[in-house]
Amino acid sequence: MILHSCIDLSKDRNYTNYLSYFGDSLTSHFPKKYSSMITGYSYSVDTVGHFNTEEFNLTLIKEKKDINEIKLMYNNNKVYDINDKCIIVVNEFLDNNNLILQQYKEYQSKFSKDCDDKYVVIPNFWSNDYADNATKSKLDKNFKYIIIDSKVGENVYSSKINYYKSYMPSIVKHGYSKGIAFNEKEDIIIYWLVLW
């Protein structure tokens, strides 16, 4: 994790390298430059595929006006809360307490059968600075979610993901999701990309 204040993300070489690694189409919603005054930022990246996923999350602690701008920018997208029955969390069983498990065959993310195949997938934020095991996404219940783009099904979107292994329901066996989580109570924004 990296923490800075008063930053310009375009000068963080690791950050720009991760944007390049995942490609423009999957990271188009991430800020490329940001030099406004903010309290801090951090990001987490998994490019190894250890849990048959790859992901990239950027967390910004900002002013409320930035959250309002994001909500306005994506005003045609539905805003979800974690209790929405159609949300499926990638590998929701993972948390800091079970990382040493070698096999997860008996584990699978849960889903409701009442969604008429209108499922949306969000990451498991278990390693985020604002993680909270009280919810299935591991983020505080005050977070809301905007899914910007998502593809689910049989296709694998990374060579590091094993097609034959999945901890997800068959209806969303593989895919990717990109979006933004925000918490208006604490003025936090999280940009995400997850491939599974």
Side-chain angles (χ1 to χ4, degrees):
M1 291 295 175
I2 299 172
L3 248 88
H4 297 279
S5 61
C6 189
I7 52 94
D8 181 347
L9 289 173
S10 64
K11 293 181 180 175
D12 185 328
R13 184 169 300 204
N14 287 331
Y15 177 76
T16 56
N17 285 343
Y18 292 131
L19 289 176
S20 296
Y21 173 84
F22 287 106
D24 289 339
S25 65
L26 292 176
T27 61
S28 60
H29 62 301
F30 279 74
K32 306 303 185 266
K33 292 183 178 180
Y34 195 91
S35 52
S36 179
M37 290 289 289
I38 60 175
T39 305
Y41 81 104
S42 64
Y43 54 82
S44 63
V45 185
D46 173 11
T47 58
V48 177
H50 181 71
F51 300 110
N52 215 34
T53 61
E54 286 193 272
E55 64 183 292
F56 186 24
N57 300 321
L58 169 69
T59 303
L60 297 175
I61 298 98
K62 306 164 73 164
E63 295 179 15
K64 192 170 288 293
K65 69 178 181 65
D66 297 306
I67 293 175
N68 291 333
E69 287 174 12
I70 285 171
K71 286 168 58 180
L72 187 61
M73 183 183 306
Y74 296 105
N75 66 348
N76 291 328
N77 297 61
K78 181 176 176 181
V79 176
Y80 295 87
D81 66 44
I82 198 55
N83 295 318
D84 190 294
K85 66 182 180 181
C86 295
I87 284 181
I88 301 175
V89 176
V90 175
N91 300 347
E92 72 176 50
F93 53 86
L94 279 177
D95 61 34
N96 286 322
N97 298 319
N98 65 11
L99 291 179
I100 59 170
L101 294 176
Q102 296 300 311
Q103 290 293 331
Y104 298 101
K105 287 182 181 174
E106 67 273 21
Y107 293 98
Q108 189 176 66
S109 290
K110 298 179 184 76
F111 71 105
S112 167
K113 295 184 178 177
D114 301 327
C115 287
D116 301 324
D117 293 331
K118 294 179 182 167
Y119 297 99
V120 293
V121 180
I122 64 172
N124 178 340
F125 293 97
W126 64 271
S127 64
N128 189 281
D129 291 339
Y130 298 93
D132 178 354
N133 282 341
T135 69
K136 62 184 178 180
S137 74
K138 309 296 188 294
L139 283 181
D140 181 278
K141 64 181 181 180
N142 293 312
F143 276 90
K144 307 287 185 202
Y145 306 87
I146 298 173
I147 288 85
I148 294 170
D149 188 22
S150 181
K151 296 272 191 286
V152 298
E154 296 285 322
N155 291 337
V156 174
Y157 293 91
S158 169
S159 61
K160 294 183 180 174
I161 293 173
N162 182 345
Y163 173 83
Y164 299 101
K165 182 168 74 171
S166 178
Y167 306 114
M168 299 292 283
S170 60
I171 49 169
V172 293
K173 180 178 179 182
H174 293 296
Y176 73 82
S177 172
K178 67 182 199 177
I180 299 171
F182 60 92
N183 179 334
E184 292 180 277
K185 187 175 180 183
E186 298 178 74
D187 299 330
I188 302 166
I189 298 173
I190 303 173
Y191 297 83
W192 88 73
L193 165 66
V194 62
L195 301 88
W196 68 92

